């Protein structure tokens, strides 16, 4: 279920397929936090397909009860040439202006597919290696 008929304007909530995404969630913010700008990620990726690596980055606002809202329903697709994967990948999300209420968290999802896009027609398995050198930058300023 991909492509133009899967418009981001659909009333349905976006979902990710189990086993085809990884979530990284911050600790809850202790005060209101405003983020204005372009979040970025530096992370080591690898994959097995003979094509370029295709991945989708998504930014979520997670409430204290665990419910999550995709910020402005924006999805940042990234195509990374296999030849560039010897170094950590630099992924820019779509810029936004958003206020996280105290007690909310920021969640980054990296997904192999997305309902709004034509996905890679070649099956792939992607490995995300976190740790030293992995950096998520969320432009923020405490309110």
């Amino acid at each position: 279920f991909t492509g133009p008929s899967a418009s981001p304007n659909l009333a349905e909530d976006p979902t990710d397929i189990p086993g085809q995404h990884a979530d990284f969630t911050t600790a809850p913010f202790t005060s209101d936090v405003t983020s204005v700008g372009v979040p970025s990620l530096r992370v080591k990726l690898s994959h097995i397909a003979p094509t370029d690596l295709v991945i989708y980055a998504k930014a979520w606002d997670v409430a204290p009860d665990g419910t999550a809202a995709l910020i402005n329903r924006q999805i940042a697709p990234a195509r990374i040439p296999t030849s560039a994967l010897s170094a950590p990948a630099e992924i820019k999300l779509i810029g936004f202006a958003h206020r996280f209420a105290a007690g909310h968290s920021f969640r980054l999802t990296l997904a192999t597919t997305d309902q709004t896009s034509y996905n890679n027609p070649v099956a792939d398995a992607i490995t995300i290696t976190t740790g030293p050198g992995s950096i998520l930058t969320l432009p923020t300023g405490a309110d």
Side-chain angles (χ1 to χ4, degrees), residues 98-111:
H98 183 78
R99 176 168 293 169
F100 295 89
H104 284 230
S105 301
F106 173 79
R107 176 178 296 153
L108 170 71
T109 295
L110 295 178

Side-chain angles (χ1 to χ4, degrees), residues 40-44 87-91 129 132-137:
S40 62
L41 173 68
R42 183 175 200 257
V43 68
K44 182 74 174 137
E90 303 280 344
I91 299 173
T129 304
S134 297
I135 301 169
L136 171 65
T137 303

Side-chain angles (χ1 to χ4, degrees), residues 45-108:
L45 300 170
S46 61
H47 74 130
I48 62 171
T51 60
D52 291 344
L53 185 146
V54 176
I55 199 161
Y56 300 87
K58 305 171 189 185
W60 301 84
D61 182 334
V62 182
D65 67 2
T67 58
L70 185 61
I71 298 172
N72 298 333
R73 295 181 68 99
Q74 295 177 337
I75 296 143
R79 177 179 301 275
I80 303 160
T82 298
S83 61
L85 292 175
S86 60
E90 303 280 344
I91 299 173
K92 299 281 188 194
L93 281 73
I94 295 175
F96 57 80
H98 183 78
R99 176 168 293 169
F100 295 89
H104 284 230
S105 301
F106 173 79
R107 176 178 296 153
L108 170 71

